[in-house]
Amino acid sequence: MELIGVVIWLLAIVASVLIGVIVNRLVFSSLASIPGPWLAAATGWYETYYDVIRGGQFMYEIQRLHRLYGPVVRISPREVHVNAAEFYDILYAGPTRRRHKDPWFLSSVAPGTSFAANNSDHHRMRRSGLNPFFSKQAIREWEPIIHSKMRLLCRHFRRAQHMGHPLELHTCFVNFAVDTVSQYTFGPGDGFDVLQAPVTDDTWKKGVNGIFEMLVILRHLPWLYDLSRVLPVFISAWICPAFPKINAIEQVGPFRILYDRKSSC
């Protein structure tokens, strides 16, 4: 009986804390006056439901909320979504007004990259190391490689036209981007050379799409990433159906070497 009493007291304490948090969010929060569904204001699980259970549908739910509540909507306990042209210069103020990234949007799978830097100065420092690669001069020097990849892509177009076969453009353009960026990143001779294949393959398209599908889930359940790394691929596929597509591209060329080195550290 004593144990039951302790459990009841613990449940009562937890319930009281939860009720207090919800009341604070709905009544006393600085965002309480902003229109929106009360459930979204009370808990972040509202967004989790649409992104995880409904498969990334929260952005469409936001559109629906704007139609109901207007240009400014509260979509979570600590987040407001704005859909009005007059707010553009306020939200996107440029480098003269620093904006720190919300930790909620930090990359949970790449903690050492510029994507994971929430402080504006920290992000600028990390990003500065990449700036030379995206300068106009660097891109001009890379134009011959871009043209060579374009010729390979056009070869697939001509072959499909000659044989009367359909060609899926999404796959073609992803493969073109993969070949160009991989050679730019790893150097001449170490690119993935996807366009060299006689027939276009959609492995990279599925892999890239799978990454974005998985990132939507990892924002809400970041521990799934580490779990998927220690489990066999077929079990990880039960947790996140996109994982086998991501694993397929991780086994390619330089990516395989990078991950082998990471796992051995």
Side-chain angles (χ1 to χ4, degrees), residues 211-247:
I211 290 173
F212 288 107
E213 292 173 18
M214 193 171 184
L215 286 177
V216 171
I217 298 175
L218 292 180
R219 283 184 60 214
H220 303 275
L221 308 171
W223 50 270
L224 282 181
Y225 176 77
D226 294 325
L227 182 62
S228 67
R229 291 297 177 187
V230 299
L231 295 175
V233 175
F234 73 93
I235 296 180
S236 297
W238 296 345
I239 302 173
C240 179
F243 184 77
K245 307 171 188 176
I246 302 171
N247 184 73

Side-chain angles (χ1 to χ4, degrees), residues 60-70 73:
Y60 302 111
E61 172 64 8
I62 291 176
Q63 295 175 3
R64 188 186 71 86
L65 295 179
H66 278 299
R67 290 193 294 269
L68 289 176
Y69 297 101
V73 180

